[in-house]
Amino acid sequence: EAGVAQSPRYKIIEKRQSVAFWCNPISGHATLYWYQQILGQGPKLLIQFQNNGVVDDSQLPKDRFSAERLKGVDSTLKIQPAKLEDSAVYLCASSSLHTEAFFGQGTRLTVV
Amino acid sequence: EDQVTQSPEALRLQEGESSSLNCSYTVSGLRGLFWYRQDPGKGPEFLFTLYSAGEEKEKERLKATLTKKESFLHITAPKPEDSATYLCAVATNAGKSTFGDGTTLTVKP
């Protein structure tokens, strides 16, 4: 079974630039999550999709972050404009309804 | 607000020295508690799900237990390959999930 695919693995950008991350979940998983993980901390949920719809985006900084899930499958997370404090690993995960999540390798973002 | 607190932040053990990691939680309507293992540079890897107080799950040298306020991850006779960060997460009946900050375990040969 193929796992959760994310790209790119690494990204370095200057502050105020924009960046986008892509995620392809495990086939058949209706729930997709984007997490932000700062070094030394646990993953923080940014947004959770159930099929096409948003279940929870209460911790998404909506003035600069946006996410979409096309046709209930792939998803993209965008940051525009980036700030220094956005430097983190961005993790995508997927799950069947109410079960454990499977994570991708993550994208390490460095904002300079 | 849902809260998950893990302790200790870091734990160093000698190979074969058993110990426990703690995850205490405050949540409205617990649907399940999850344990994950995270190796450097990788995403978390699922270990266990616990749903109700008194439940226990085992996998090799690991055993997870759950009470109404906390969960323990017991590590029996650890080996160096058990070195990793162990994360605890709670999921609520409302469908929300919250992670703790993890315990970084180092097992010395």
Side-chain angles (χ1 to χ4, degrees), chain A residues 34-51:
Chain A
W34 282 103
Y35 287 91
Q36 180 193 60
Q37 187 173 27
I38 293 171
L39 189 64
Q41 298 181 17
K44 182 182 95 172
L45 182 67
L46 293 175
I47 189 166
Q48 177 181 340
F49 292 95
Q50 185 72 25
N51 295 310

Side-chain angles (χ1 to χ4, degrees), chain A residues 31-73:
Chain A
T31 307
L32 186 146
Y33 312 81
W34 282 103
Y35 287 91
Q36 180 193 60
Q37 187 173 27
I38 293 171
L39 189 64
Q41 298 181 17
K44 182 182 95 172
L45 182 67
L46 293 175
I47 189 166
Q48 177 181 340
F49 292 95
Q50 185 72 25
N51 295 310
N52 286 347
V54 176
V55 172
D56 182 5
D57 64 357
S58 57
Q59 298 190 90
L60 186 73
K62 297 179 185 63
D63 57 334
R64 298 184 301 106
F65 286 64
S66 64
E68 60 179 4
R69 189 178 185 193
L70 301 174
K71 300 180 181 178
V73 182

Side-chain angles (χ1 to χ4, degrees), chain B residues 44-65:
Chain B
E45 177 186 348
F46 170 73
L47 292 173
F48 304 109
T49 309
L50 301 166
Y51 292 105
S52 56
E55 189 175 359
E56 299 183 353
K57 294 272 181 75
E58 284 190 68
K59 179 181 179 180
E60 297 180 356
R61 296 176 291 282
L62 300 176
K63 183 170 82 171
T65 62

Side-chain angles (χ1 to χ4, degrees), chain B residues 67-107:
Chain B
T67 72
K68 288 187 178 180
K69 293 184 178 181
E70 57 191 350
S71 176
F72 291 94
L73 185 65
H74 307 277
I75 303 177
T76 301
K79 298 182 178 181
E81 53 262 41
D82 295 322
S83 297
T85 295
Y86 291 86
L87 295 163
C88 167
V90 296
T92 70
N93 291 325
K96 298 196 173 187
S97 62
T98 304
F99 273 83
D101 284 336
T103 293
T104 299
L105 173 67
T106 304
V107 183

Side-chain angles (χ1 to χ4, degrees), chain A residues 1-12:
Chain A
E1 177 182 82
V4 176
Q6 288 189 247
S7 67
R9 284 296 315 276
Y10 306 93
K11 190 75 177 178
I12 301 174

